[in-house]
């Protein structure tokens, strides 16, 4: 007689934020609850112009499945997204468009520069290619590679999640953050 196949039925839970717990209650800070919610519900906006965009398509496919990380809903309207994923070569003519897309996103917003071209211009050291998107908008995480593998893109998204989960609600109103945006000419 064959034994039935048993599957691992343990459900993996998200780690609980720091706080106080007792019988029937749990108390934590508002910052930690909001951070946990934001971390696990990121809405990415793909801005793909080259081969890194093809790798991103593989990342969204069933084999790598970015949806497992709480970033299932891709948005193509900047007003509905909080993570700008810039992938590929950005020409200097495209710079103002990218900046406008960034400015249309609601706060809080994060930026992921995917690949060598978005991070530093890549192999295109020419007059027409922007030598890194950090010249026009602030970047939170850089993903290296030319093009980066889907695993590297997933690692970049997880690093963004770590930043999002630990960010204070008051960071965006701090003088340091305002100075950073002023350095980019953003008010």
């Amino acid at each position: 007689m064959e034994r039935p196949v048993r599957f691992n039925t343990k459900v993996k839970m998200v780690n609980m934020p720091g706080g106080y717990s007792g019988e029937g209650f749990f108390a934590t800070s508002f910052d930690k609850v909001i951070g946990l919610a934001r971390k696990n519900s990121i809405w990415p906006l793909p801005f793909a112009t080259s081969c890194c965009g093809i790798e991103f398509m593989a990342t969204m496919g069933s084999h790598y499945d970015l949806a497992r990380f709480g970033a299932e809903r891709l948005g193509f309207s900047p007003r509905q997204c909080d993570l700008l994923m810039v992938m590929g070569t950005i020409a200097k003519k495209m710079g103002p468009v990218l900046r406008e897309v960034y400015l249309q996103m609601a706060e809080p917003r994060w930026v992921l520069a995917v690949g060598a071209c978005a991070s530093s211009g890549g192999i295109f050291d020419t007059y027409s290619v922007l030598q890194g998107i950090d010249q026009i908008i602030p970047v939170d995480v850089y993903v290296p590679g030319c093009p980066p593998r889907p695993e590297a893109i997933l690692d970049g998204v997880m690093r963004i999640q770590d930043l999002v989960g630990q960010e204070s609600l008051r960071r965006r109103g701090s003088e340091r953050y305002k100075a950073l945006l002023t350095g980019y000419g953003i008010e």
Side-chain angles (χ1 to χ4, degrees):
M1 182 172 162
E2 287 186 41
R3 296 181 74 190
V5 177
R6 299 202 180 238
F7 296 100
N8 186 359
T9 59
K10 292 183 180 180
V11 176
K12 191 171 186 176
M13 298 295 288
V14 174
N15 292 335
M16 187 168 60
Y20 302 100
S21 62
E23 193 170 330
F25 79 94
F26 177 75
T28 188
S29 69
F30 191 59
D31 277 357
K32 292 179 182 175
V33 171
I34 296 296
L36 182 67
R38 283 181 180 165
K39 173 183 175 177
N40 293 299
S41 63
I42 292 177
W43 287 11
L45 170 65
F47 194 95
T49 60
S50 301
C51 45
C52 291
I54 303 299
E55 291 297 321
F56 176 69
M57 289 178 206
T59 307
M60 289 303 298
S62 61
H63 187 71
Y64 295 100
D65 194 17
L66 186 62
R68 292 178 294 150
F69 300 94
E72 182 168 5
R73 186 209 174 272
L74 286 181
F76 295 97
S77 170
R79 291 173 183 86
Q80 299 173 348
C81 297
D82 53 9
L83 172 62
L84 178 60
M85 299 178 73
V86 181
M87 300 164 270
T89 309
I90 304 297
K92 287 185 179 174
K93 275 188 166 183
M94 187 70 73
V97 174
L98 177 62
R99 183 181 171 89
E100 188 64 31
V101 167
Y102 175 78
L103 292 175
Q104 288 179 357
M105 294 172 67
E107 285 281 355
R109 56 189 171 216
W110 297 273
V111 177
L112 181 68
V114 178
C117 292
S119 299
S120 65
I123 61 171
F124 305 105
D125 189 11
T126 65
Y127 69 94
S128 62
V129 174
L130 194 63
Q131 299 300 303
I133 63 167
D134 55 0
Q135 293 181 357
I136 56 171
I137 58 174
V139 175
D140 295 295
V141 173
Y142 296 91
V143 176
C146 183
R149 298 263 315 138
E151 295 90 351
I153 297 173
L154 290 175
D155 183 60
V157 170
M158 289 190 297
R159 289 178 188 268
I160 288 284
Q161 285 181 319
D162 291 341
L163 288 173
V164 171
Q166 296 170 4
E167 183 175 290
S168 166
L169 291 177
R170 291 175 182 78
R171 175 185 167 255
R172 301 286 168 155
S174 71
E175 293 302 319
R176 184 175 176 207
Y177 186 72
K178 288 178 183 176
L180 172 70
L181 291 182
T182 303
Y184 282 97
I186 300 170
E187 297 174 11

